[in-house]
Amino acid sequence: MSPEIRSKKRSLREVLPKKDAADKKLTSSDKRLPRQSTKKRQRNKGRFRLGYLVLIIVLVLVLVFVVSSWWVRATVIVTPKQADLILSGDFVAVNGADPGSGEVTYEVVTLPATEASQTLNASGEEELSEKASGEAIISNNYSKSDQRLVVNTRLEASDGRIYRLTKATTVPGQKVVDDEEQPGEVRVAIVADSPGESFNSADDLQFTIPGFKDGPRYSKFSARSVGGPSGGFVGTVKVVSESDKEVARQTLEGELRTRLLEAARAQIPADFVLFDKGTTFSFEDKTDWVSDSGGETVNMVIVGQLRGAIFELLDLSRVVVGDQLPSLQGLEVSIRNLDKLDFDIDDVASIDLEAGSSFTFSLAGEAKVMAQVGEAALKQQLAGEKKIVIEEVLGRFPGIEKLEVVFRPPWAHRFPATAVDIVVSLDDSN
């Protein structure tokens, strides 16, 4: 090949275009484009998540608002009309009859017998002579006629011991039961003819009536003890001094007064009132002094009972206040501090409350008089209504001075649909 031809041949590198610096820069920037696009997508994704979270929060708040609105509660704070009244007067209480003008009715509360006891030391001595006592059943198998037995009629045991009837009695005559004659019977109290332990018996005793001896009734009348007579004693015994007895009696009676009054107040209805001085007490000494004879201690037992006159609060307030307070004229009122007033009855112990008698009582002191609100009616009229009706409803209750309402939740605009969800609170602090 000739040199000319060889010189005309070009290499591939010479034929292809060369990349200049600008091309290199463009290529480098093009490589960075995908990286910038990824960051932008991440920013968009973050904004989406934030918007989604805000939407959830808004929905939750709306849900809370709606649900809480379903469970609305309302507290109505009521200030009743009030006034003070200085009382000093006498009034008449009646039971079991229609009261006249200025009279107030009362009812009677009676508490069952209540027991209190205290152990006393037997510090003294005395000679004791006691007769055995018990009960017996006397049978009349003699005739169909009743038989009268006088007090101290003798009953003779099979061993010759004599006991006597403590009071006169009548033994019924024979009776016919299922075509069979049966003796008439009566239960009586008996006492030994003489004091001493020899008349005590652990077993039942069979008796005859010596007064019927040598006559037809002797074999037809009989008697038997109900358990063995007991309590007979002659000798020196330990005794409790009279001064110790009196101190213990006063202590036990005071304890019983307190307990009975507390029990009575717990049992009477809430709309009634019981005054301390409107009660009477009766006490009975149930101490078995004989059974503890010879011992070092005696268990003293006192039983007490209460009877009291109770008054209906509104009825008593109406009669006592009367028309003395023009600002509360025509309103139903109650005295809210009755327990602080001085209630008194002259000679209350002489009043027979059970017989439905009337009595005069006095009531004195500074009475705190309050108009009745009518809570149940107020709640019924507010139930289901909007807030704006408060003033309108207030006008229907003349006994209310002012009224405030607290809603839960605070944004509620309507009272609960049912009265049970409305609470009425009285502000009587004036």
Side-chain angles (χ1 to χ4, degrees):
M1 181 177 296
S2 65
E4 290 185 56
I5 296 175
R6 262 197 318 268
S7 62
K8 290 182 180 179
K9 288 184 179 180
R10 296 180 180 179
S11 65
L12 183 60
R13 292 179 180 176
E14 294 174 336
V15 174
L16 293 174
K18 294 182 179 180
K19 296 179 180 179
D20 56 16
D23 291 338
K24 291 181 180 179
K25 290 181 180 179
L26 181 60
T27 304
S28 176
S29 62
D30 288 344
K31 291 180 179 178
R32 288 197 299 267
L33 283 175
R35 192 176 302 169
Q36 290 175 347
S37 178
T38 300
K39 288 184 177 180
K40 185 176 182 181
R41 285 196 301 270
Q42 288 175 344
R43 284 196 299 270
N44 292 337
K45 187 176 181 180
R47 290 170 183 165
F48 174 77
R49 289 178 177 173
L50 179 60
Y52 185 68
L53 180 60
V54 171
L55 178 61
I56 291 176
I57 293 173
V58 171
L59 290 175
V60 170
L61 291 176
V62 171
L63 182 62
V64 169
F65 178 84
V66 173
V67 172
S68 61
S69 298
W70 291 344
W71 296 92
V72 174
R73 297 292 185 273
T75 299
V76 182
I77 303 171
V78 175
T79 302
K81 291 182 179 179
Q82 302 174 66
D84 293 340
L85 176 64
I86 303 300
L87 288 175
S88 180
D90 294 333
F91 306 90
V92 177
V94 296
N95 177 260
D98 293 331
S101 177
E103 295 180 340
V104 58
T105 58
Y106 74 89
E107 298 181 23
V108 179
V109 60
T110 302
L111 264 64
T114 303
E115 179 182 296
S117 62
Q118 181 178 336
T119 300
L120 307 179
N121 292 322
S123 56
E125 290 184 347
E126 73 175 20
E127 293 296 322
L128 185 66
S129 179
E130 295 286 346
K131 294 180 179 181
S133 61
E135 291 185 323
I137 295 176
I138 301 176
S139 300
N140 173 10
N141 205 23
Y142 173 70
S143 72
K144 294 181 175 60
S145 301
D146 296 344
Q147 175 68 52
R148 180 74 174 170
L149 299 179
V150 299
V151 63
N152 288 328
T153 295
R154 293 179 299 160
L155 301 180
E156 184 177 7
S158 57
D159 57 7
R161 288 178 291 182
I162 298 296
Y163 300 82
R164 296 180 181 270
L165 301 188
T166 60
K167 62 181 181 180
T169 188
T170 298
V171 186
Q174 293 171 310
K175 55 187 177 181
V176 177
V177 178
D178 296 333
D179 297 328
E180 291 185 4
E181 287 188 349
Q182 295 186 0
E185 294 183 339
V186 65
R187 189 165 180 151
V188 295
I190 61 172
V191 64
D193 194 40
S194 301
E197 296 181 9
S198 61
F199 285 85
N200 298 336
S201 176
D203 303 319
D204 295 349
L205 300 178
Q206 300 294 324
F207 302 107
T208 56
I209 302 178
F212 290 162
K213 202 168 186 178
D214 300 328
R217 293 180 295 179
Y218 183 74
S219 60
K220 298 294 184 179
F221 275 81
S222 63
R224 63 186 185 279
S225 67
V226 181
S230 61
F233 180 82
V234 174
T236 302
V237 295
K238 293 279 187 178
V239 295
V240 178
S241 67
E242 290 301 318
S243 60
D244 288 348
K245 287 181 182 180
E246 185 59 28
V247 171
R249 181 175 290 106
Q250 292 181 8
T251 300
L252 292 177
E253 288 183 1
E255 176 187 335
L256 285 171
R257 287 177 188 273
T258 301
R259 286 168 51 189
L260 288 167
L261 276 172
E262 289 177 352
R265 289 198 173 92
Q267 292 182 23
I268 64 175
D271 54 346
F272 277 75
V273 60
L274 169 69
F275 296 97
D276 289 4
K277 292 184 179 180
T279 57
T280 61
F281 299 89
S282 59
F283 300 102
E284 184 178 1
D285 189 341
K286 290 287 189 177
T287 308
D288 189 355
W289 302 101
V290 175
S291 65
D292 289 339
S293 60
E296 297 294 329
T297 60
V298 174
N299 189 43
M300 187 174 191
V301 179
I302 301 293
V303 174
Q305 191 171 29
L306 173 148
R307 287 184 178 85
I310 61 174
F311 301 88
E312 187 178 14
L313 176 61
L314 295 180
D315 189 29
L316 178 61
S317 299
R318 175 184 55 79
V319 173
V320 170
V321 174
D323 57 0
Q324 300 182 72
L325 293 174
S327 62
L328 300 179
Q329 194 74 30
L331 299 177
E332 188 175 33
V333 299
S334 66
I335 300 175
R336 58 187 177 88
N337 66 329
L338 274 171
D339 58 331
K340 300 295 191 297
L341 300 181
D342 184 14
F343 177 96
D344 199 13
I345 303 176
D346 290 336
D347 195 17
V348 64
S350 65
I351 300 172
D352 187 1
L353 297 176
E354 295 291 358
S357 57
S358 63
F359 60 86
T360 300
F361 67 91
S362 63
L363 202 59
E366 184 177 357
K368 302 292 183 181
V369 185
M370 180 178 69
Q372 292 299 287
V373 172
E375 297 179 22
L378 177 62
K379 292 197 292 184
Q380 287 292 342
Q381 294 202 23
L382 290 175
E385 297 290 344
K386 294 182 178 180
K387 286 183 181 180
I388 58 175
V389 305
I390 292 177
E391 291 299 324
E392 179 186 344
V393 171
L394 181 59
R396 304 171 194 162
F397 292 84
I400 298 178
E401 184 72 32
K402 69 176 181 177
L403 183 151
E404 299 177 26
V405 182
V406 177
F407 284 96
R408 295 192 310 274
W411 56 78
H413 63 282
R414 186 183 291 271
F415 284 91
T418 57
V420 72
D421 293 327
I422 301 175
V423 176
V424 173
S425 176
L426 290 181
D427 180 8
D428 57 0
S429 57
N430 291 347

